[in-house]
Amino acid sequence: MIIKACVFDLDGTLVDTITDIANAGNYALTQFGFPIHPVQSYKGFIGDGLFNLVKRSLPEEHRDDKTVSTALEMLTKHYSEHLLDNSLPYDGIPELLLFLQSKDIDLNIVTNKYDNQAKSIATALFPDITFKNVLGARKDSKIKPDPSDTMFCINMSNAKPNDCVIIGDSNSDILTGKNAGLTTVSVTWGFRSVKFLQQFDPDFMFHNVADLYSFFKTSI
């Protein structure tokens, strides 16, 4: 298999961000006097944009657009101020990225978190990695599973979809890859269960970074 480019998800794939996201979500809930959630509950809220995360975290009777929008503003402000309080790369990820970079494979991040937040995290936590693109949610952009940003990355590498791999921890990553014609790799150390991910039929599934590393070593 020839691999010219990789498209990585960020949250739950490269970086464990769940504590900082949960803290921001719970901060917003407390401003309304609503019940907060355990950190682990946010794994089920995350995956298709912050608006949907906030909506899922609110009590069912308070999920009107006005409340969601106000809570989203509160969450976003708090999260932007605390992006790196607890968030760290998963063990082995920096070494994996350095290996891929040494093989002249273009490395990209496509995420549904806000673009400025994604870029800040990538810069701070991966100072030795030169990503070709780091693309998050922007005005007028389309979030995953829409393949637009992923295809932009592939085109920037002058690659064909079947020369590229998308790696993520959610169904939106698998569907994005299928929509773009990429090889899909699911990782299970993030925010979704094995049983859940299997429903979407990824091409490969790995349960630890070492096995993902081995996959690339034998594929390049």
Side-chain angles (χ1 to χ4, degrees):
M1 179 180 182
I2 298 173
I3 299 176
K4 293 185 177 180
C6 292
V7 177
F8 285 92
D9 177 48
L10 185 61
D11 303 273
T13 301
L14 297 179
V15 181
D16 185 357
T17 54
I18 197 65
T19 298
D20 290 329
I21 291 171
N23 288 346
N26 284 338
Y27 168 80
L29 292 173
T30 61
Q31 304 310 297
F32 288 94
F34 295 149
I36 63 173
H37 302 283
V39 170
Q40 293 303 308
S41 295
Y42 279 86
K43 290 185 176 182
F45 300 157
I46 199 170
D48 52 0
L50 281 177
F51 184 90
N52 290 312
L53 181 153
V54 170
K55 190 170 185 177
R56 294 182 185 117
S57 73
L58 289 166
E60 289 188 17
E61 66 273 21
H62 294 288
R63 293 179 179 175
D64 57 280
D65 285 350
K66 182 179 179 181
T67 302
V68 174
S69 295
T70 302
L72 176 58
E73 289 179 8
M74 294 175 178
L75 180 153
T76 300
K77 184 176 186 299
H78 186 281
Y79 184 55
S80 294
E81 294 169 351
H82 299 274
L83 276 177
L84 298 166
D85 284 4
N86 301 281
S87 295
L88 291 170
Y90 289 101
D91 289 344
I93 286 294
E95 293 80 5
L96 171 64
L97 295 177
L98 283 169
F99 167 73
L100 294 172
Q101 183 169 263
S102 74
K103 298 298 183 180
D104 295 323
I105 293 173
D106 288 342
L107 302 178
N108 304 274
I109 293 174
V110 174
T111 173
N112 284 343
K113 77 181 319 114
Y114 289 145
D115 190 69
N116 63 321
Q117 297 171 348
K119 286 177 168 60
S120 294
I121 290 174
T123 299
L125 298 185
F126 302 107
D128 298 324
I129 304 301
T130 301
F131 291 102
K132 195 170 187 70
N133 298 283
V134 177
L135 300 176
R138 310 171 305 286
K139 184 179 180 181
D140 299 327
S141 69
K142 297 179 180 179
I143 64 173
K144 298 180 292 185
D146 185 279
S148 300
D149 279 350
T150 294
M151 288 306 305
F152 175 84
C153 294
I154 302 313
N155 292 333
M156 286 285 288
S157 294
N158 294 315
K160 297 178 181 178
N162 58 6
D163 297 330
C164 306
V165 178
I166 187 168
I167 306 98
D169 72 308
S170 76
N171 53 310
S172 67
D173 299 304
I174 300 170
L175 294 173
T176 300
K178 291 181 181 294
N179 290 338
L182 277 60
T183 297
T184 56
V185 173
S186 282
V187 300
T188 64
W189 55 77
F191 304 155
R192 295 290 185 269
S193 69
V194 172
K195 184 177 180 180
F196 178 81
L197 292 170
Q198 285 174 334
Q199 301 175 73
F200 299 91
D201 194 29
D203 295 311
F204 298 93
M205 181 178 289
F206 298 109
H207 306 301
N208 56 68
V209 177
D211 287 345
L212 179 60
Y213 203 145
S214 296
F215 163 77
F216 281 116
K217 279 186 174 180
T218 58
S219 299
I220 297 172

